[in-house]
Amino acid sequence: MSATSDTNERSLALISDDSALVAMTKGAFPTGKGQVLQVIEKNIQNVGAEVRELNCTALIIDMDASKVTDFEQLQKIKRMAGPACALIVVTSNFSPAAARILIQLKVSDFLIKPLQTSDLVRACNNALKKPGEEASVEPQFLAFMPASGGVGTTSMALETAQILNKYGRKLGRTTCVVDLNFQHGSCAEYLDIEPRFDISEIENAPERLDRQLLDVMLSKHSSGLSVIAAPNQPSEMRSFKAALVVRLLDLVSAYFDYVVIDMPRIWFPWTDTVLVGSNRLFVVADMTVPSIRHARRLVEVISQKVGNQSSAKVLVNRMDMRATGSGLNAKDVEEALGDWYAGGIPNNYRLVRDAVDRGVPLEEIEAGNNVTGALSRIILADQADIAAPTAQKGGLMAMGRNLLMRKKA
Ligand SMILES: Nc1ncnc2c1ncn2[C@@H]1O[C@H](COP(=O)(O)OP(=O)(O)O)[C@@H](O)[C@H]1O
Ligand SMILES: [Mg+2]
């Protein structure tokens, strides 16, 4: 037993002379909060007995998998680090033969350059986890995009996040809301928290955004939700570089299991990227002919642009279930949207308004309310479809599954 594993400290070490990898690892694993990072800033060939002093739980080793000498060195380091130390290999040159050797050497994981922060963090967290701790799961991205203005996109995104936050916590999973309406988002306002994502600091240097900076720029809601929202700049027309959005989402995906994105209605240069990266995509419409038409056009465009990976569905908000004489009724909406119809959310003005005015989840205003109920069936049905098989499938989940079966039939 190493000294470090007796304490609660999760000790990580890195051997690399690649300054970009060193910076990325330092950014992702700042020492503190029960976590230690040691760095040997050397080429693998120049590393010697200092490895014995590391006493770490997991060791990241940067090597060239096309060099036999690097493999010899890797074996030496493995012996010195001891059997309790998990090895994560990062390599630029990769081949099936190299993979076979790494598997034989029983490394915990191997990653290929250029690598994403989220991949590095996941590999390290899995290697650092204590016995009995669940392996970190692939994060799920759920994006909400408005078909027209004021249809309830933000309300649906936030309530979805609350549902996932509640459900996910039982599974040890965390949820973050990202408000990509950088210019005039309302997530922070609706939750009555201070928006802290200061874009001006990192706009031109997205690589500066690391774990520590992210921590500073995250807002926390009393429900346990984490939120990334920028202070409103109503008088400025700002456009944000795709690199910043990609960097932000990569980083967020490293630390959260569910990421709920409130998308702007305008199609930005980075919109495609976000949509391609989303596991679930909801176009939010309301129960009017123009909005349903906009929604249809939008899902069509999304399917064309994003292709088959897209699972864009239309969520019809403020749905009136009564069959009224004039205008749309629920059946018309379902027929117009066909397979694209994700479901309808009841109109409950007082409930949603009260929640927004008080900055709390709908469930806190009224337990068992119809909006959260309808949304849970849709969201958790999707989760039943994609979540880990170990997920507890309770009442709502079962209902969700039934709904899913009905939809597929
Ligand atoms: N299911 C609902 N029932 C009644 N009112 C709703 C519902 N969902 C949203 N609203 C209301 O609709 C308005 C617009 O919602 P918002 O979430 O800000 O939409 P968007 O983000 O699309 O602009 C808000 O006043 C909100 O309270
Ligand atoms: Mg909004």
Side-chain angles (χ1 to χ4, degrees), residues 10 12 28-29 35 58 88 109 117-130 133-137 211 253-257:
R10 311 197 310 157
L12 182 67
F29 293 94
Q35 177 173 275
I88 298 156
D109 212 339
T117 309
S118 49
D119 292 334
L120 179 68
V121 171
R122 224 177 351 267
C124 293
N125 283 345
N126 282 337
L128 289 169
K129 75 182 190 311
K130 301 187 191 84
E133 266 179 16
E134 238 195 276
S136 78
V137 288
R211 176 69 200 253
S253 77
Y255 302 107
F256 293 93
D257 301 311

Side-chain angles (χ1 to χ4, degrees), residues 101-392:
I101 303 172
L102 290 172
I103 290 168
Q104 280 161 3
L105 283 174
K106 294 201 170 66
V107 302
S108 308
D109 212 339
F110 46 89
L111 302 166
I112 300 156
K113 287 186 195 175
L115 76 176
Q116 302 279 310
T117 309
S118 49
D119 292 334
L120 179 68
V121 171
R122 224 177 351 267
C124 293
N125 283 345
N126 282 337
L128 289 169
K129 75 182 190 311
K130 301 187 191 84
E133 266 179 16
E134 238 195 276
S136 78
V137 288
E138 284 281 319
Q140 297 293 326
F141 279 79
L142 294 90
F144 289 77
M145 201 170 179
S148 18
V151 291
T153 310
T154 301
S155 307
M156 292 303 108
L158 289 178
E159 193 54 20
T160 295
Q162 297 289 8
I163 291 165
L164 291 173
N165 185 40
K166 201 166 162 191
Y167 152 88
R169 267 198 283 186
K170 292 187 200 127
L171 305 169
R173 311 221 172 129
T174 50
T175 307
C176 183
V177 176
V178 180
D179 191 346
L180 288 184
N181 298 273
F182 288 132
Q183 199 165 355
H184 34 61
S186 43
C187 285
E189 206 70 68
Y190 281 16
L191 293 171
D192 195 20
I193 52 179
E194 192 195 338
R196 295 166 66 184
F197 190 65
D198 183 2
I199 303 162
S200 55
E201 251 195 67
I202 43 172
E203 215 171 350
N204 295 312
E207 68 286 350
R208 275 201 51 223
L209 185 61
D210 61 11
R211 176 69 200 253
Q212 257 166 328
L213 203 51
L214 186 73
D215 273 348
V216 173
M217 293 195 182
L218 265 182
S219 312
K220 276 276 191 185
H221 185 250
S222 54
S223 60
L225 265 192
S226 298
V227 181
I228 294 189
N232 282 358
Q233 310 277 3
S235 62
E236 274 174 60
M237 178 61 215
R238 310 179 72 169
S239 67
F240 299 99
K241 298 200 177 88
L244 175 63
V245 176
V246 170
R247 174 76 193 144
L248 172 63
L249 293 180
D250 172 35
L251 206 59
V252 170
S253 77
Y255 302 107
F256 293 93
D257 301 311
Y258 299 113
V259 181
V260 178
I261 308 171
D262 185 356
M263 298 281 288
R265 195 173 164 203
I266 300 173
W267 199 288
F268 284 99
W270 41 261
T271 300
D272 297 49
T273 316
V274 177
L275 298 185
V276 169
S278 295
N279 306 80
R280 288 280 178 253
L281 175 60
F282 294 102
V283 168
V284 184
D286 68 4
M287 207 179 168
T288 60
V289 173
S291 190
I292 300 292
R293 283 200 186 135
H294 277 309
R296 277 195 61 132
R297 269 197 296 269
L298 192 53
V299 277
E300 261 164 26
V301 168
I302 292 169
S303 322
Q304 279 161 17
K305 286 207 165 216
V306 180
N308 286 339
Q309 305 114 298
S310 148
S311 59
K313 293 263 156 112
V314 181
L315 191 63
V316 183
N317 191 22
R318 294 193 296 239
M319 186 96 160
D320 187 349
M321 301 298 176
R322 291 167 305 186
T324 47
S326 60
L328 284 181
N329 61 39
K331 205 160 152 282
D332 300 330
V333 169
E334 264 184 68
E335 273 170 13
L337 293 172
D339 277 350
W340 283 326
Y341 181 60
I345 306 297
N347 188 5
N348 194 336
Y349 180 71
R350 186 198 52 79
L351 172 81
V352 179
R353 193 199 55 193
D354 280 3
V356 164
D357 282 348
R358 287 172 43 191
V360 295
L362 301 180
E363 280 286 284
E364 208 172 305
I365 303 287
E366 185 192 327
N369 72 77
N370 57 358
V371 172
T372 309
L375 193 57
S376 296
R377 285 191 284 281
I378 296 163
I379 298 302
L380 298 181
D382 289 344
Q383 290 304 301
D385 214 19
I386 54 183
T390 52
Q392 296 153 18

